[in-house]
């Protein structure tokens, strides 16, 4: 199959390797990317008690190991790309605001670190934005000029590309707050300060409280689980558990409202869905598609909904494409 030309660079047509590091909540994922291929991958635990700065020596060692395995020196590489959650100033290469776990990294100069450790230039981007750029460069949305992404993990991350450009905004927060568009004004308090945000109503972290509030919870198969997440609720619904089915119906209503909000805000042709929730894509995508079709105002036609094939790789691809702009 012929691929259309990626808009955000090519991940290294000059053959030079991009080093990419994705600081996730549970794991730090590392990769070497050459011409759109993740040629080496590694993963380190995040160890929340060490913050982000405390993990950098381990990240340095792991990058060194990956390069040595490929018989590469840092000087053979195009640069180092870093993705983190939170608000990232891509122009300055610093984090402006982030969740508690990595709070020590606010204001930290990743550029100085990359220069000191590897004598390489560094790009920094929000993880959902990097994922969307990666999907456009090499993934499920190749060549799209207008697309949004929602990634359903512990929280719900989003990003938008409009008219061929990643949306960052005046204060670096545009496009990434789709998980904090309220889907219930009388809803739960969110960790962002708002009430009834999509992720406070239907993100992974909100699910145990949501399930326990259901009047039938004690009699449901869900009460037997030690931890409750997307998978447990979807499986309970699939096995005929009434409480599970009702919860899933509520969740699908919130998730589809979140998708419609992104469509109404950013006018995409394609919505990319990603994250752990998409392990249940066979069940969920038709349900979401139907609701989005009913509720979105798109007189020009129907927004395509696609699912990321390799969510881990998409962030790494996106960082590589930022290091190799056309
Ligand atoms: Zn919120």
């Amino acid at each position: 199959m012929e691929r259309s030309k990626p808009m955000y660079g090519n991940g290294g047509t000059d053959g030079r390797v991009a080093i990419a590091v994705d600081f996730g909540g549970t794991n730090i994922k590392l990769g070497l990317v050459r011409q759109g291929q993740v040629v080496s991958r590694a993963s380190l635990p995040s160890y929340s008690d060490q913050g982000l700065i405390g993990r950098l020596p381990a990240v340095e060692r792991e990058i060194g190991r990956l390069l040595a395995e490929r018989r590469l020196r840092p000087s053979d590489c195009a640069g180092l790309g870093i993705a983190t959650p939170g608000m990232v100033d891509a122009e300055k290469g610093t984090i402006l605001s982030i969740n508690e776990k990595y709070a020590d990294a606010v204001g930290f100069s990743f550029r100085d670190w990359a220069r000191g450790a590897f004598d390489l230039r560094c790009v920094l981007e929000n993880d959902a934005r990097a994922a969307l750029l990666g999907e456009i460069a090499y993934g499920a949305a190749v060549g799209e000029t207008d697309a949004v992404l929602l990634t359903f993990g512990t929280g719900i991350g989003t990003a938008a590309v409009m008219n061929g450009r990643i949306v960052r905004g005046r204060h670096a927060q545009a496009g990434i707050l789709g998980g904090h568009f309220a889907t219930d004004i009388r809803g739960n308090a969110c960790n962002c300060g708002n009430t009834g945000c999509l992720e406070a109503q239907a993100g992974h972290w909100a699910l145990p409280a949501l399930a326990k509030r259901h009047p039938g919870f004690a009699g449901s198969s869900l009460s037997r689980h030690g931890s409750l997440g997307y998978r447990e609720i979807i499986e309970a619904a699939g096995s005929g558990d009434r409480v599970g089915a009702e919860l899933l119906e509520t969740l699908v209503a919130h998730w589809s409202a979140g998708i419609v909000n992104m469509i109404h805000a950013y006018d995409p042709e394609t919505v990319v869905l990603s994250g752990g929730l998409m392990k249940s894509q066979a069940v969920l995508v038709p349900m979401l598609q139907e609701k989005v079709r009913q509720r979105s105002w798109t007189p020009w036609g129907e927004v395509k909904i696609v699912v990321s094939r390799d969510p881990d790789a998409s962030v790494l691809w996106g960082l590589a494409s930022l290091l190799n702009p056309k």
Side-chain angles (χ1 to χ4, degrees), residues 48-67:
S48 53
D49 55 331
Q50 294 182 20
L52 189 150
I53 311 294
R55 295 300 283 146
L56 289 177
V59 168
E60 266 178 55
R61 282 194 298 277
E62 199 61 14
I63 291 172
R65 190 183 67 75
L66 290 177
L67 290 176

Side-chain angles (χ1 to χ4, degrees), residues 8 126 128-130 132-133 136 145-150 157-169 174-178 262-263 265-268 270:
Y8 279 97
N126 165 272
R129 287 201 196 113
L132 179 54
L133 292 174
I136 286 172
T145 56
D146 297 85
V148 298
L149 171 135
L150 294 94
T158 68
V161 160
M162 293 176 79
N163 304 316
R165 293 178 70 86
I166 190 78
V167 175
R168 291 190 175 118
I176 62 172
L177 294 184
M262 289 298 286
I263 292 171
Y266 300 108
D267 189 13
T270 299

Side-chain angles (χ1 to χ4, degrees), residues 179-180 190-194 197 199:
H180 300 276
C190 184
N191 52 26
C192 74
N194 196 0
C197 295
E199 75 166 56

